């Protein structure tokens, strides 16, 4: 058993001076497992796992808490959770899943304001932030804070009320969950800053605040990411050990350059990290 | 000395291409389809560069070609796994 494990990781005459982990059969096995599980697990066996985790870790109350923390830190009064805006956010999330889109405006041109008005919230100011693919409330708010236009909504003096919706479903054929944040104010009077009590200046016209651009990814790591990280890191370490031992023993082999593979796999780790992120809109 | 310079040049070229690939994938966010296509293209380019390098070194054999292809496919499979949502958790 020990010998088998040794041959699995280290080059040895019994494994033709190449760790068994790096043999074609092992590579094919790992590739097959990854591709098979990509289809199998996500589509059939465990489709509810992401929903359960998302709903467990992201809640309106937590989103409100972190949003208001940021507002208070910036000298603004906390937003009040508004049931009408909650209903609007829920309707918007439902509409995105029903019509399979992820945008502020639906494919038929319906704006976020329609949902807010339809929920009975007669706004003077309104705004919307969206997020998808996150697994933690704090990450969602952090991602919004990292984007200037979303931050503008979060820290706007024009908003008094807020409503959230966290909904799981299928978007573009993928299981995901959406976070919708609707802001509003029924009056034209901006909120007063906590730190600075200067008199508010009422705007002359109705203004809508919306983020239609500025798409910023933010980390939303998962167990799947950890699994991939572990697999790729194992290959990198074994390739590195293989390279050191073979160079030291000066053994001639017809194999690829381990250094090439190590560099490429490090890039894979970075790419996977970029791909495994949540998005805000 | 010339051989050393040649290898340094090769690795500089390889790293430049891969860094450009990372930049492309980052810039294509949040379009995951385009990100995945960019990643697949980068993996193919990696395998081709590796094979050409061995060809220029006069030590190219079939096994090496397969090895580069498998490593590139491993990278694609890892990205695809994350792209499809992994285990769903």
């Amino acid at each position: 058993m020990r010998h088998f494990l040794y041959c699995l990781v280290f080059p040895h005459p019994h494994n033709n001076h190449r760790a068994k982990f790096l043999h074609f059969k092992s590579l094919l096995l790992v590739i097959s497992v990854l591709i098979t599980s990509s289809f199998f697990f996500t589509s059939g066996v465990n489709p509810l796992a992401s929903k359960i985790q998302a709903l467990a870790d992201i809640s309106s109350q937590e989103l409100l808490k972190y949003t208001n923390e940021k507002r208070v830190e910036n000298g603004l009064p906390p937003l009040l959770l508004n049931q009408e805006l909650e209903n609007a956010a829920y309707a918007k999330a439902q509409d995105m899943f029903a019509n399979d889109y992820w945008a502020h405006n639906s494919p038929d041109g319906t704006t976020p304001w329609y949902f807010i008005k339809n929920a009975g919230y007669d706004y003077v100011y309104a705004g919307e932030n969206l997020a998808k693919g996150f697994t933690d409330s704090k990450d969602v708010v952090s991602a919004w804070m990292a984007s200037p236009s979303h931050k503008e909504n979060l820290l706007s003096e024009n908003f008094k009320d807020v409503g959230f919706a966290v909904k799981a479903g299928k978007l573009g054929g993928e299981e995901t969950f959406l976070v919708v944040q609707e802001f509003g104010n029924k009056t034209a009077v901006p909120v007063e800053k906590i730190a600075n009590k200067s008199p508010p200046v009422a705007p002359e016209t109705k203004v809508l605040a919306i983020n239609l651009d500025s798409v910023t990814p933010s980390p939303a790591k998962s167990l799947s990411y950890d699994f991939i990280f572990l697999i790729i890191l194992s290959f990198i370490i074994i390739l590195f050990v293989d390279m050191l031992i073979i160079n030291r023993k000066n053994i001639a082999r017809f194999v690829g350059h381990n250094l090439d593979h190590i560099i490429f796999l490090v890039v894979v780790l970075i790419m996977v990290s970029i791909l495994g992120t949540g998005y805000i809109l | 000395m010339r051989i050393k310079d040649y290898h340094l040049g090769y690795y500089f070229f390889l790293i430049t291409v891969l860094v450009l690939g990372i930049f492309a994938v980052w810039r294509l966010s949040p379009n995951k389809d385009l990100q995945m296509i960019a990643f697949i293209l980068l993996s193919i380019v990696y395998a081709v560069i590796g094979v050409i390098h061995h060809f220029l070194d006069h030590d190219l054999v079939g096994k090496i070609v397969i090895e580069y292809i498998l490593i590139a496919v491993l990278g694609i499979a890892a990205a695809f796994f994350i792209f499809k949502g992994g285990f769903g958790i």
Side-chain angles (χ1 to χ4, degrees), chain A residues 18 24 31 37-38 42 49-50 174 215 222-224 228 256-257 260-261 263-264 271-272 275-277 279, chain B residues 10-11 18 21-22 25 29-30 32 35 39 42 46 53-54 63 67-68 70-71 81-82 84 86-89:
Chain A
R18 185 74 157 164
F24 293 170
I31 290 165
S37 53
S38 298
T42 53
S50 61
E174 276 182 57
V215 180
S222 62
L223 193 65
S224 301
I228 285 295
H257 295 139
D260 293 15
H261 301 330
I263 293 169
F264 176 70
M271 297 280 201
V272 160
L275 281 170
T277 56
Y279 297 100
Chain B
Y10 163 74
Y11 281 109
L18 294 177
I22 293 172
V25 170
S29 171
K32 295 213 174 194
Q35 281 183 312
F39 186 75
L42 187 73
Y46 162 74
H53 185 208
H54 280 277
K63 263 180 75 176
E67 185 177 320
Y68 274 89
L70 283 177
I71 293 287
F81 181 79
I82 295 295
K84 293 288 286 179
F87 294 125
I89 48 177

Side-chain angles (χ1 to χ4, degrees), chain A residues 9-20:
Chain A
V9 180
F10 300 102
H12 187 272
H14 288 172
N15 57 20
N16 205 16
H17 297 289
R18 185 74 157 164
K20 271 191 184 288

Side-chain angles (χ1 to χ4, degrees), chain B residues 57-75:
Chain B
D57 275 352
H58 305 289
D59 63 353
L60 183 65
V61 291
K63 263 180 75 176
I64 289 177
V65 176
I66 295 169
E67 185 177 320
Y68 274 89
I69 290 171
L70 283 177
I71 293 287
V73 173
L74 173 69

